[in-house]
Amino acid sequence: MTGDDPASAKKSGRTVIIGLSGPSSSGKTTLARLLRSIIEDEKRVRTFIIHEDDFYHPDDKIPVTKTARGELVQDWDTAGAIDIDFLASALAYVRKNGRLPPRLQSKEDQNEATNPGVEEARIQDLSRSVRERIANEYSKPAKGEEEEKDEVPLTIAFLEGFLLFAPPAAEDASHVLRSVHDSIDLHLFLPAPYDIVKARREARSGYVTIGPAPTPTAERAAHIGHSSVDLDEKDESAPQNFWTDPPGYVDDIVWPRYVQDHAWLLMPEGEDGTTQSLAAASSGTRSESELLKLAGQAVSVRTDTGVLVAPGKGRKPMTEILDWAVDEILGFLKV
C-alpha cells in the first residue's frame, strides 16, 4: 500500500486507487462496474473506472510472437503490448486531480458487456448499506465553509487489468510493473482456473482496438518503444479495428503469458499455506512447459505479498466475490 494513511486523510478530498487484477475473463471488468454503481454517491463519493485495455499501444506496435506451431501472431497479453509509461502517468494524474485525464477515451467501454450475475435487489441493498457507512465518515463541508464546485470528500478510481501487480520490492525492486503497482492503494486479485478462462475467453466475440492491425512479419518481433502522450489533450480518434483471437490463442498465448507473468504470485498446484512461489519452485528450470505443469489450474495463490486474493479459487459466484470486495474496500477506508 502506498500514499498517505487513509485514516489521516479521510476528510480532505482523498483519492484512492483500487486495483482489480487477475487472468483474462476472471470477472475484473464486471466487478469494477458493480463496485462503481454501488459506491458512487454524488454527495460524498466520486467513482470511475480505469481500464488497462485503454493503454494498449496502437495495433501496429503490438509485439509479434511465434507460437509452438511456428505461426506468427500479435501478442496482446504481454507487458510489451501495454504503454506502461502512459498508464503510470495517468495514475499520477488521477492521484493529483481526482479525475480521469482528458486524454483517456475508453475503447474498453465499447466492448460487449456481460450479465453481472448479481440480482438487482442485492445490488440495491449493498448500495444502501455502503452509502450509509460511508456517510458516517465522509461529508460535504459544513454550510458556510468554502467549497469548490463538484468537490466531494472521496474519489475512488477502480483500475482493472490483467497486468497490474508486481512482486514485493525485496524480491524484485525493478519489476516492469513497479510504477503501476506502487500507484495502487488496495490490490485485489481474482484468480480463475484454466478451464474457466479458456471457456469464457473463447466465447467472446472480440475486442475494440485503437488502430489498424498489421500483417505479422518476423521483422516486427523486434522491441518496440513507448511513445509520449499528452494527458491534457483530448483523444478524438475513433476505434479503428476489432481484434478477434485466432484459433488456439488461449493455449498458445493467453494462458502461458498469465502463468509466466504471475509466477511470483502463484504457487505450485495444490500447495496452500506456503510462501513458495511458482518461480521459486521452478528455479533453474523455468521453461514454459515446466511452469505450466507446476501451475496446473493456477489457483493456488500466495497471501504474503500485500495482494488480497478473492475466495473460492475462481469458482465462487460473482455475488460472493462482490461481497468480499466490498468488505475489503470498507475495511481499507475504515468505515
Side-chain angles (χ1 to χ4, degrees):
M1 184 172 68
T2 64
D4 300 329
D5 176 68
S8 66
K10 278 188 175 183
K11 307 216 172 42
S12 60
R14 179 174 173 77
T15 295
V16 172
I17 298 175
I18 296 175
L20 306 173
S21 196
S24 175
S25 306
S26 59
K28 303 179 295 295
T29 306
T30 297
L31 180 60
R33 287 170 174 162
L34 284 167
L35 291 170
R36 176 182 60 185
S37 64
I38 286 170
I39 298 176
E40 175 75 29
D41 182 343
E42 63 180 15
K43 294 181 179 180
R44 298 177 180 87
V45 188
R46 177 189 298 113
T47 63
F48 53 86
I49 300 174
I50 308 169
H51 302 284
E52 185 178 33
D53 284 4
D54 288 330
F55 295 87
Y56 273 112
H57 285 297
D59 297 26
D60 61 349
K61 295 184 182 295
I62 299 299
V64 170
T65 191
K66 182 180 290 187
T67 69
R69 296 187 299 275
E71 300 170 344
L72 290 171
V73 297
Q74 286 184 293
D75 185 352
W76 295 81
D77 289 76
T78 181
I82 302 292
D83 192 336
I84 295 173
D85 292 341
F86 179 18
L87 175 54
S89 296
L91 295 178
Y93 184 101
V94 167
R95 174 81 63 195
K96 179 179 179 181
N97 298 285
R99 59 182 175 86
L100 285 170
R103 178 70 184 182
L104 282 184
Q105 174 182 307
S106 180
K107 307 297 186 293
E108 170 60 30
D109 283 339
Q110 299 177 52
N111 288 318
E112 61 182 342
T114 58
N115 186 320
V118 181
E119 293 183 357
E120 184 60 30
R122 178 57 181 157
I123 294 173
Q124 294 303 319
D125 286 344
L126 267 177
S127 182
R128 283 191 293 270
S129 174
V130 168
R131 291 176 185 182
E132 286 176 3
R133 291 176 62 174
I134 289 178
N136 292 328
E137 293 292 329
Y138 294 87
S139 61
K140 284 258 191 178
K143 188 175 181 180
E145 293 183 8
E146 183 177 350
E147 177 184 351
E148 294 184 11
K149 185 179 181 181
D150 298 328
E151 181 184 0
V152 292
L154 175 65
T155 295
I156 299 179
F158 297 103
L159 169 63
E160 64 89 12
F162 72 106
L163 273 177
L164 298 179
F165 302 156
E171 297 179 15
D172 188 351
S174 59
H175 190 273
V176 65
L177 292 170
R178 177 62 53 203
S179 60
V180 174
H181 179 100
D182 289 351
S183 297
I184 298 169
D185 296 294
L186 183 64
H187 304 76
L188 304 181
F189 188 80
L190 279 62
Y194 163 78
D195 55 352
I196 288 180
V197 169
K198 182 177 175 66
R200 289 178 179 173
R201 176 79 182 227
E202 292 184 346
R204 290 183 173 180
S205 58
Y207 305 84
V208 173
T209 67
I210 65 174
T215 300
T217 62
E219 289 73 20
R220 291 211 50 257
H223 172 74
I224 298 172
H226 298 296
S227 59
S228 178
V229 178
D230 185 351
L231 293 173
D232 290 310
E233 180 184 349
K234 287 188 177 181
D235 182 4
E236 304 292 351
S237 61
Q240 300 176 40
N241 195 37
F242 191 79
W243 163 266
T244 301
D245 290 344
Y249 189 74
V250 172
D251 290 314
D252 288 338
I253 303 295
V254 175
W255 190 250
R257 288 286 184 267
Y258 166 65
V259 171
Q260 290 171 341
D261 289 337
H262 294 86
W264 62 271
L265 181 62
L266 300 173
M267 298 186 296
E269 185 173 34
E271 291 193 16
D272 293 306
T274 177
T275 61
Q276 183 183 46
S277 69
L278 193 63
S282 63
S283 180
T285 57
R286 297 186 185 183
S287 67
E288 178 180 300
S289 59
E290 176 68 12
L291 282 175
L292 293 175
K293 181 179 178 181
L294 283 171
Q297 289 284 320
V299 289
S300 296
V301 186
R302 292 171 65 185
T303 57
D304 65 332
T305 65
V307 174
L308 303 179
V309 182
K313 297 189 173 183
R315 299 190 185 276
K316 291 282 188 182
M318 181 54 71
T319 298
E320 294 186 36
I321 300 303
L322 178 61
D323 287 342
W324 163 79
V326 168
D327 286 344
E328 294 292 355
I329 291 169
L330 294 181
F332 173 79
L333 295 175
K334 302 184 186 301
V335 299

